[in-house]
């Protein structure tokens, strides 16, 4: 697996995410504080034997079998013509090599200001939504959406 200029040899499991998770601890992956950093988060797992397999539970992010990094592009190589993957929880098989990249500013998500986990000190209750932006987002068709 190549992540930018870095190489991770023979991971047994690999998580490639849109932006890195706040904690590299695989047992409590937690949240991604920002969805718009423009980098991929990579978490690779390679364990040799039972003792090393128990390390993530005991040593958390310091486990020797856990590798974390970020990159703008990740390429997953394999000796097989296809590998099993999960994309947003959907089980798939993809031909190798698998290339992971980000399309920056492709997805916009609008969330309530008072959503769970939001910082109440950063909420500006006087700001009104810009309805022109909302209407533009609703009516603008994406090139690949067929509309």
């Amino acid at each position: 697996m190549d992540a930018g200029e870095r190489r991770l040899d023979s991971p047994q499991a690999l998580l490639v995410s849109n932006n890195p998770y706040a904690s590299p601890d695989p047992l409590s992956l937690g949240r991604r504080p920002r969805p718009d950093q423009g980098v991929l988060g990579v978490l690779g797992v390679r364990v040799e034997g039972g003792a090393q397999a128990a390390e993530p539970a005991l040593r958390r992010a310091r486990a020797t079998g856990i590798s974390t990094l970020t990159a703008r592009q990740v390429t997953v190589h394999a000796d097989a013509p296809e590998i099993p993957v999960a994309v947003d929880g959907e089980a798939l098989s993809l031909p190798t090599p698998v290339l992971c990249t980000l399309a920056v500013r492709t997805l916009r998500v609008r969330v309530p200001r008072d959503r769970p986990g939001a910082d109440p000190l950063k909420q500006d209750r006087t700001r009104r939504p810009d309805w022109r932006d909302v209407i533009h987002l609703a009516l603008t068709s994406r090139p690949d959406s067929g509309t």
Side-chain angles (χ1 to χ4, degrees):
M1 189 273 324
D2 297 315
E5 301 294 321
R6 298 190 53 197
R7 182 173 190 83
L8 186 58
D9 289 322
S10 305
Q12 294 164 319
L14 188 65
L15 171 68
V16 179
S17 60
N18 176 11
N19 297 296
Y21 282 87
S23 168
D25 179 359
L27 297 179
S28 61
L29 284 175
R31 298 177 180 206
R32 291 169 284 182
R34 294 192 52 135
D36 60 351
Q37 291 175 306
V39 294
L40 296 168
V42 180
L43 182 117
V45 178
R46 174 136 195 102
V47 294
E48 307 289 338
Q52 193 179 22
E55 276 189 3
L58 301 172
R59 300 188 69 210
R60 302 267 195 210
R62 297 183 321 258
T64 58
I66 305 293
S67 300
T68 59
L69 50 116
T70 60
R72 295 208 178 273
Q73 179 173 305
V74 174
T75 305
V76 181
H77 304 277
D79 294 333
E82 289 187 341
I83 59 172
V85 301
V87 177
D88 290 335
E90 187 72 27
L92 305 169
S93 290
L94 293 179
T96 58
V98 175
L99 178 65
C100 304
T101 60
L102 289 175
V104 179
R105 301 189 61 85
T106 300
L107 175 66
R108 290 188 185 183
V109 178
R110 302 225 181 231
V111 296
R113 283 191 275 288
D114 57 351
R115 68 193 178 280
D119 185 349
L121 299 177
K122 292 185 178 180
Q123 295 178 14
D124 180 5
R125 300 220 180 256
T126 62
R127 187 171 169 240
R128 300 267 185 226
D130 185 342
W131 290 107
R132 291 175 298 195
D133 284 348
V134 174
I135 291 168
H136 175 74
L137 285 171
L139 298 178
T140 302
S141 65
R142 291 183 35 222
D144 62 340
S145 68
T147 59

